[in-house]
Amino acid sequence: MRDDHLLNLVRMAREADELERGMPLALVGEVAPRRRVWAPLLAIASMAAAVTLAWVLWPAPPLNLPSPPAPGPIALQPMPRTDMTADGGARVIAASTESTIDACEPSGPMLLAVFHQTDERCDCVVWRPGAFVEYDIARLGSADLIQAAWDNRCADTSELVLVLAIDGPRELLPADADAALELAATLSIPRAWCGEDPACYEDSAAGLFPSSVRVVAETLALSSR
Amino acid sequence: MPLPTDQPGPARDLADAAARVARGDREAFEVIHRRLDPGLRRLLARRTSDATLIDDLLQRTWAGVWEACRAGRYDPARSAISTFVYAVASNTWLRHLRGIKATDATSPDEHVDPDDPATADAASLAETLDMVRQALDGRFADLTEQERWILRMASEGAGDRTIASRLGISPSTANQAKQSAFGKLRRILARFGVRPESAERRDAPRE
């Protein structure tokens, strides 16, 4: 067997090893819904309010309330890299998406994925609060992060995807699209020297938050080889 | 080669699931798919940036794994299911490259080497890769820790000079150590009957 064949086998064996090691964590059991002791009281109060409202409004036509936006990932795009600063362009773009933000978005570890183009531009940013709810982000594997970003991807031709899971006190985490966009912009700055090194991005992010906020990063390079 | 008895929990869970897939258990197949698909996507993303192609390759890979398991072409006693899935994906990728080549007559025939063990059928390839994995993990006393490190470095494209500088030895000594590692790995593979140059392995049906 030739030397290059042996080396190819070694490389493939290492990739197979990586495939096994990169298995996402299995969620241990089903997550029980949180007990809400106030739920029965709220139901009674809601019924009372509905009766009162009907009495007051009768025989007026029923209210036509707009339905709340469906919760889910918020994709902010397109966004030139040059606009990705903590002021100016990023805010303007984020403002246009404010109407899609549900104030009742779940709290908990959030997903922030930044999709970069080859020419240093940023394709788009995905921000999903509560994406890793019920998970300890320290136990998330790289495959979990990549999968989460991939499932919520906002671009198909990116060269590099920077994926972050961020957890901590709610008041310290990005609370809206503006803040998420600013964070994405700031975290993208070290790309020049971080390249594809997730630990480098983690270090950068750690400097942006108090110690009570934890950040786990992963990158996915999509360049052809 | 039988699987090592001290597999970690997740690998053992996968082995159990693989055995159930052979009996037509779709839920077990979903377990394997759920656990390995993200990593497989990541590996394929290193070869192509075409997201649609990656989805297509994954689809074909998993269809191949399912058919192989149902047809009894995957033997849990010969290789880990993760290695087998990887081997099927590798063959799927090679077939894709051949397809491109077939439509482009000007392209040189550079992707297929009949003596290359990487072109073997998936079951044989997985078995070979599992042996190499075990060799790199130090399960065989033949390879020293330094030789395993050299093999890993060389597989990443490191030349003798790079290896030498990391080890603080001369390039010629690094080359000798590398050749020694190659020889030991060849002997390990031969000990377990891996002769990739044999006709029956080349002619075996591909997954």
Side-chain angles (χ1 to χ4, degrees):
Chain A
M1 196 186 304
R2 285 169 21 194
D3 289 355
D4 59 330
H5 291 164
L6 273 178
L7 285 180
N8 195 32
L9 283 180
V10 171
R11 182 188 58 77
M12 294 172 80
R14 294 183 66 201
E15 284 193 331
D17 212 32
E18 181 184 332
L19 176 63
E20 190 169 288
R21 281 188 291 108
M23 291 186 304
L25 295 171
L27 194 59
V28 181
E30 288 296 316
V31 179
R34 292 194 181 101
R35 282 190 68 194
R36 292 176 174 170
V37 294
W38 41 265
L41 294 175
L42 184 64
I44 293 169
S46 299
M47 286 176 65
V51 169
T52 306
L53 196 63
W55 176 261
V56 170
L57 294 179
W58 182 267
L63 293 172
N64 186 21
L65 296 173
S67 56
I74 299 171
L76 312 169
Q77 61 176 332
M79 188 170 52
R81 171 67 189 270
T82 50
D83 288 346
M84 287 192 62
T85 56
D87 51 19
R91 276 205 183 118
V92 173
I93 294 164
S96 67
T97 64
E98 270 185 353
S99 62
T100 67
I101 298 171
D102 186 348
C104 297
E105 284 283 355
S107 60
M110 59 179 54
L111 164 74
L112 188 70
V114 190
F115 291 73
H116 286 284
Q117 267 293 2
T118 41
D119 55 1
E120 293 294 303
R121 283 186 306 110
C122 171
D123 277 333
C124 54
V125 175
V126 168
W127 172 56
R128 191 174 175 192
F132 302 111
V133 69
E134 307 294 349
Y135 279 94
D136 176 358
I137 66 167
R139 295 189 64 212
L140 286 173
S142 61
D144 299 289
L145 294 168
I146 296 299
Q147 184 69 45
W150 193 265
D151 289 345
N152 296 289
R153 66 185 183 273
C154 52
D156 282 332
T157 57
S158 300
E159 186 238 2
L160 180 79
V161 185
L162 169 61
V163 194
L164 297 113
I166 309 169
D167 192 16
R170 189 172 186 173
E171 63 274 16
L172 297 176
L173 302 182
D176 54 25
D178 267 342
L181 209 52
E182 283 188 25
L183 178 62
T186 310
L187 288 171
S188 295
I189 291 172
R191 192 191 159 189
W193 61 88
C194 282
E196 301 172 16
D197 182 8
C200 182
Y201 290 103
E202 281 178 15
D203 289 344
S204 299
L208 301 173
F209 291 106
S211 58
S212 54
V213 174
R214 291 179 300 157
V215 180
V216 178
E218 186 53 73
T219 60
L220 175 64
L222 294 167
S223 55
S224 299
R225 290 194 178 180
Chain B
M1 149 169 274
L3 285 171
T5 54
D6 56 343
Q7 288 180 91
R12 183 170 294 283
D13 290 347
L14 281 183
D16 293 342
R20 298 208 310 273
V21 170
R23 299 193 292 270
D25 188 334
R26 285 182 178 275
E27 284 186 12
F29 183 74
E30 284 171 14
V31 167
I32 296 169
H33 176 271
R34 196 164 53 241
R35 293 196 183 178
L36 297 179
D37 190 68
L40 209 50
R41 182 181 296 281
R42 183 185 169 93
L43 291 174
L44 286 170
R46 292 178 185 170
R47 289 162 173 77
T48 176
S49 59
D50 185 339
T52 306
L53 175 60
I54 291 174
D55 284 339
D56 179 51
L57 292 170
L58 284 171
Q59 182 73 21
R60 285 153 60 185
T61 295
W62 287 113
V65 171
W66 170 257
E67 287 170 13
C69 288
R70 293 291 295 128
R73 293 199 299 275
Y74 167 66
D75 181 357
R78 289 177 65 189
S79 67
I81 185 67
S82 56
T83 316
F84 182 72
V85 169
Y86 175 87
V88 175
S90 175
N91 280 356
T92 304
W93 173 248
L94 286 178
R95 276 203 299 273
H96 164 71
L97 293 178
R98 289 171 197 144
I100 288 177
K101 192 180 57 190
T103 58
D104 180 10
T106 62
S107 177
D109 189 355
E110 61 186 10
H111 297 303
V112 180
D113 180 347
D115 290 331
D116 187 345
T119 61
D121 67 283
S124 300
L125 175 59
E127 191 176 9
T128 303
L129 291 178
D130 253 7
M131 268 179 266
V132 177
R133 284 178 68 181
Q134 292 180 44
L136 292 174
D137 282 347
R139 290 182 187 272
F140 304 110
D142 312 50
L143 285 163
T144 66
E145 187 176 348
Q146 187 185 70
E147 286 167 336
R148 298 199 303 270
W149 182 86
I150 288 174
L151 285 174
R152 291 193 195 97
M153 284 286 287
S155 74
E156 290 176 2
D160 291 344
R161 287 180 183 277
T162 306
I163 293 171
S165 68
R166 295 284 295 274
L167 291 176
I169 57 179
S170 71
S172 62
T173 307
N175 183 267
Q176 285 174 8
K178 188 173 74 177
Q179 293 305 324
S180 168
F182 284 160
K184 289 181 179 178
L185 186 56
R186 281 194 189 90
R187 282 194 289 277
I188 289 170
L189 294 175
R191 204 158 65 219
F192 290 97
V194 177
R195 293 183 180 81
E197 66 278 12
S198 64
E200 69 273 14
R201 196 169 286 271
R202 282 205 307 273
D203 296 342
R206 301 189 194 289
E207 299 303 334

